Amino acid sequence: MSPALYARHARSRIVDDLDAAIERDPAASSRADVLLNSPGLHAIWAYRLAHRLWVRGGLGKPAARLLMTFVRSVTGVEIHPGAVIGRRFFIDHGMGVVIGETAEVGDDVMLYHGVTLGGRSLQRVKRHPTVGSRVTVGAGARILGPVYIGDDVQIGANSVVVKDVPTGAIATGIPAVIRFPHGREDPYEAMFKDPALWI
């Protein structure tokens, strides 16, 4: 990829991330506001650099780990550089989010503070969740193990998910109970029926 093409691609990704943050954060007033004041966004940008170093291997791996350790101390967000994260990913508030090494996250995913995409095994295998696209994960939720979270899923605040969640479902509670929206139930309206979805 030529330097000009790479610069154009990087700018496009940055604008995508800024606009995704503005779309999902009612407190955001402008791109400049988000650029300067969103620790979740700062963490994801640092992660994208660290991930590039990680996949190069060699000395890139310890450099990537060192970068993300520094970012964790500044933002409160811990993302392993080996994780794979899609476009327009947004972490609201940021503090306390942990994303493990073998986690995979699709496009247009939103996590609130305190979310863990964690493992349940000490083996060097796929041990973290795979999260589809357009998923929202509420504050304090824990998704543990190599489970699959389908597209368009909502996971309630403080839920603990240890089993797969099918596309379009709602998962709440400890352990999470899965249900589907009724008919044409609006996800916003669903929050009034299920207080655990308040995030």
Side-chain angles (χ1 to χ4, degrees):
M1 185 182 293
S2 71
L5 187 59
Y6 178 77
R8 200 173 319 127
H9 176 72
R11 183 182 183 283
S12 170
R13 294 292 292 264
I14 289 168
V15 170
D16 271 358
D17 287 339
L18 289 169
D19 289 346
I22 290 170
E23 180 181 329
R24 296 183 184 120
D25 184 358
S29 58
S30 66
R31 284 179 178 167
D33 176 33
V34 174
L35 177 72
L36 296 172
N37 299 306
S38 177
L41 200 53
H42 301 154
I44 191 65
W45 286 342
Y47 151 80
R48 296 210 191 280
L49 173 59
H51 183 71
R52 289 179 64 87
L53 293 170
W54 183 265
V55 297
R56 283 184 188 167
L59 292 176
K61 286 195 172 188
R65 290 297 300 268
L66 186 62
L67 171 59
M68 292 314 295
T69 297
F70 171 74
V71 169
R72 179 184 61 193
S73 70
V74 173
T75 65
V77 175
E78 181 174 345
I79 305 173
H80 192 286
V84 176
I85 298 176
R87 295 182 66 123
R88 297 174 299 277
F89 178 68
F90 180 59
I91 303 171
D92 196 15
H93 300 294
M95 189 60 68
V97 167
V98 177
I99 299 174
E101 177 185 9
T102 63
E104 299 172 61
V105 179
D107 296 334
D108 301 298
V109 170
M110 179 174 179
L111 308 183
Y112 284 85
H113 56 282
V115 168
T116 298
L117 304 182
R120 292 184 297 166
S121 170
L122 299 179
Q123 304 299 313
R124 293 183 181 274
V125 295
K126 166 70 171 160
R127 60 193 183 278
H128 298 99
T130 297
V131 178
S133 295
R134 300 173 304 281
V135 172
T136 301
V137 183
R142 308 290 188 255
I143 307 173
L144 304 174
V147 298
Y148 178 75
I149 309 300
D151 295 343
D152 302 300
V153 165
Q154 293 182 77
I155 296 175
N158 296 311
S159 297
V160 177
V161 178
V162 292
K163 294 182 179 177
D164 293 354
V165 180
T167 295
I170 296 168
T172 57
I174 304 172
V177 174
I178 297 167
R179 76 172 181 85
F180 287 91
H182 304 295
R184 293 183 167 199
E185 181 181 25
D186 183 297
Y188 181 77
E189 292 299 321
M191 290 192 299
F192 296 101
K193 294 178 184 173
D194 195 342
L197 283 177
W198 283 102
I199 40 185

